[in-house]
Amino acid sequence: MSGAAAGEAERDPGLQPERTRLAWRRTTLSSTVVTVLAGKAALAGGGSVAAGAAGAVCCACWVGVLVVAHRRIRALAGGGLPEGLVPPYAAVAVVCLAVTVVAGAVLVLLG
Amino acid sequence: MIDFVRNVRLWFAPAAVREEGETPDYRFSLANERTFLAWLRTALALVGGGFAVDQFLPDLRWGWRVGLALALLAAGALCALRAVNHWVRCELAMRRGEDLPVSRFPALLSLVVAVVAVVMVVVVLVGWEA
């Protein structure tokens, strides 16, 4: 950063918060694709209760990822000095994916 | 493995991470966060691939289809767990001013993906159908 930019300390030439925000957005999109595929697997299960329940679990996990991403995007869009990611957010997103995998394994074995 | 168990506690304890060392430049933390998200998307792609194998290769013999799908799902789960673990380790290293942790995982994952790709090509070409 040049000396002239010192007056506007809030400007980040690397646009780091924006890039991080967009990375969260891409992650929600990937998560949506996975949930759509899981939904297809659940519907292909022939309407059994177990397949429906596994599909519902996948959808709940998708909502969990969306909530975490939404909070993180709100925090990063707030301007000022961005707060770092705190562990529970990362862990909740990962736990959601892990539960999706378990439900997905049930769907695969049922199908 | 012991480190992994200790880190699992840190995944859910923001205060414990913040007690270590000094807060690094926020740009480094955000770069670490984006790396974590890139690994998470890699995991999502593996999970999506598992669902795709299950749904879009119906002519494959049951054992192969389910085996490949479960292997991809498991690889995705492993990749996600490792992503958050690596993120915590990098965050702690940055706060303590240590070198960033090195990892065998990318090489391992590349080999697994290469093997799965070759198996898929063989299975589709030879057409081991039910």
Side-chain angles (χ1 to χ4, degrees), chain A residues 1 10 12-13 16-17 19-20 22-24 26-27 30-31 34 37-38 40-41 44 58 72 76 81-88 90-95 97-98 100-101 103-105 107-109 111, chain B residues 10-15 17-18 26-31 33-34 36-38 40-41 43-45 47-52 54-56 62 65-66 69-70 73-74 76-77 80-81 83-84 87-88 91:
Chain A
M1 217 183 280
E10 284 200 10
D12 172 4
Q16 303 273 351
R19 283 160 63 191
T20 311
L22 291 171
W24 274 105
R26 288 198 295 280
T27 307
S30 306
S31 176
V34 166
L37 286 170
K40 184 184 183 306
C58 288
R72 195 61 196 132
L76 287 168
L81 209 58
E83 237 184 89
L85 177 65
V86 287
V92 167
V94 166
V95 166
L97 183 52
T100 303
V101 165
L107 285 172
V108 167
L109 288 171
Chain B
L10 288 178
W11 295 359
F12 298 97
V17 173
R18 289 212 169 132
Y26 77 90
R27 284 172 289 186
F28 299 151
S29 295
L30 291 183
E33 179 176 347
R34 287 197 299 277
F36 160 70
L37 290 173
L40 200 60
R41 287 195 298 277
L44 282 164
V47 172
F51 280 126
D54 179 49
Q55 288 298 305
F56 301 120
W62 186 84
R65 184 166 57 82
V66 170
L70 288 183
L73 286 174
L81 292 173
V84 67
W87 174 77
V88 167
E91 200 71 19

Side-chain angles (χ1 to χ4, degrees), chain B residues 102-123:
Chain B
V102 291
S103 171
R104 262 184 217 103
F105 187 82
L108 205 68
L109 184 66
S110 307
L111 285 176
V112 169
V113 170
V115 168
V116 168
V118 169
V119 169
M120 294 282 287
V121 168
V122 170
V123 163

